[in-house]
Amino acid sequence: MKRVTIRVPATTANLGPGFDAFGCALSLYTDVTFEEAASGLEITGCDEAYAGPDNMAYTSFCAVLASLSEEVAGVRIHISSQIPICRGLGSSAALLVAGAIGANVLRGSKLSTQGLLNITNAMEGHPDNLAPAFYGGLTASMVDNGLPITVNFPLHPDWEFLALVPDFDLPTPLARSVLPTQLPRADAVYNIAHGAMVLKALELGDEKLLRNAMQDRLHQSYRKSLIPDFDAIQALIRTTGAAFCLSGAGPTLLCITQDPQLEEKLARKLPAVTQANWDMLPLHVEFQGARVIRAE
């Protein structure tokens, strides 16, 4: 086999209080094709700024080959992505996962998915986006002795997801820079309790419980200052009955609801509370994680 294409779903992380732990795969995708060559590196399908050796698909590709004690000769990489960059929908994790799986498949699939998660988590630093990208569905993850441990949780079938994606980005390093280095004990307890309730509400389909549980005191109240009109948009969404949170580090805002008319309602009302342009993307949970869609 000399050529393989990997499809990886978008992901939303945190889900309110589950900072660096909760994640869910969603129905946007990045397809990355890897074709072995005699020498050199060629990356197409992305902005020129990302077409060098620092590209995350390439760095994870090389990391997996290194773990197998194999050298990188040459590779051509083509990226076709629906996932917006630097918007909190797992665009970086998707590339890392694609590169890891691509290298593994081209070398006979010698490593398990857990092994690939171990390698990419060491690169990313936290498994919240990586885990659902690999496994699909709703996941919670922790890191124990440097290694990620992930479990899947059930989701009620009636949930609808609506991502509000703005016309500006928010690099993760900036979003992390505004977070406090210490938290009061009461805030830590608050997040532990609310995180547990988020998982149960998503399982039961309990809208009221989810609305209350998705509040947190660890990151959203600090990051909202980086997102214009955050408070006004949050107030509007609360009038609809939908649950609301940042998607990952933002700036995408995520609504979770059982109301199929939510997009229509927000389309009428959103322009009145914000001057930014927001794309509304209706999404569903992707229960199948990253996978090979073509191999030659």
Side-chain angles (χ1 to χ4, degrees):
M1 187 185 305
K2 295 295 183 181
R3 182 176 179 178
V4 64
T5 300
I6 311 300
R7 175 165 292 172
V8 187
T11 50
T12 183
N14 302 330
L15 296 171
F19 182 72
D20 279 4
F22 296 172
C24 188
L26 298 173
S27 55
L28 287 175
Y29 305 93
T30 289
D31 292 352
V32 187
T33 299
F34 301 87
E35 183 175 6
E36 293 193 276
S39 62
L41 169 66
E42 178 185 338
I43 302 177
T44 57
C46 63
D47 289 345
E48 187 175 347
Y50 302 109
D54 291 335
N55 183 283
M56 290 185 174
Y58 180 66
T59 57
S60 65
F61 184 91
C62 293
V64 168
L65 292 186
S67 74
L68 296 171
S69 299
E70 297 201 26
E71 294 184 1
V72 179
V75 63
R76 288 188 286 270
I77 300 173
H78 180 72
I79 300 169
S80 177
S81 183
Q82 301 173 339
I83 306 174
I85 297 172
C86 293
R87 296 298 197 279
L89 287 168
S91 60
S92 297
L95 292 178
L96 289 171
V97 170
I101 296 177
N104 192 43
V105 170
L106 289 174
R107 292 297 184 273
S109 299
K110 298 174 183 177
L111 298 176
S112 66
T113 300
Q114 180 65 52
L116 298 178
L117 177 59
N118 293 348
I119 293 169
T120 52
N121 184 68
M123 303 171 71
E124 178 82 340
H126 43 91
D128 50 350
N129 287 106
L130 294 168
F134 274 117
Y135 293 108
L138 172 65
T139 62
S141 305
M142 66 179 185
V143 177
D144 185 47
N145 291 322
L147 297 177
I149 298 171
T150 294
V151 293
N152 278 89
F153 284 82
L155 274 162
H156 194 278
D158 289 345
W159 290 120
E160 302 282 345
F161 290 72
L162 183 66
L164 308 183
V165 184
D167 58 1
F168 57 88
D169 63 15
L170 178 55
T172 300
L174 175 59
R176 284 188 175 268
S177 72
V178 300
L179 302 182
T181 56
Q182 293 184 327
L183 284 176
R185 180 185 299 173
D187 289 352
V189 172
Y190 183 96
N191 265 55
I192 292 169
H194 281 68
M197 295 298 177
V198 163
L199 296 174
K200 196 63 179 178
L202 288 171
E203 176 187 351
L204 296 176
D206 190 324
E207 292 182 284
K208 181 179 179 181
L209 179 60
L210 187 63
R211 284 196 301 272
N212 293 332
M214 292 193 88
Q215 302 175 72
D216 92 297
R217 296 180 181 175
L218 201 162
H219 69 109
Q220 294 185 130
S221 60
Y222 302 97
R223 288 171 163 168
K224 70 178 186 179
S225 63
L226 303 173
I227 302 172
D229 306 314
F230 179 97
D231 287 332
I233 295 171
Q234 178 176 246
L236 169 61
I237 292 171
R238 284 180 175 169
T239 67
T240 70
F244 170 84
C245 65
L246 277 178
S247 182
T252 293
L253 308 177
L254 189 68
C255 309
I256 306 178
T257 183
Q258 294 179 16
D259 180 3
Q261 304 302 316
L262 179 62
E263 181 182 4
E264 180 181 341
K265 293 175 182 177
L266 289 182
R268 295 195 305 266
K269 298 178 180 180
L270 192 61
V273 302
T274 178
Q275 296 184 7
N277 294 316
W278 296 79
D279 289 333
M280 287 187 282
L281 301 180
L283 304 170
H284 60 262
V285 176
E286 173 55 78
F287 287 98
Q288 186 174 5
R291 58 198 183 271
V292 176
I293 61 170
R294 188 179 300 109
E296 304 171 22

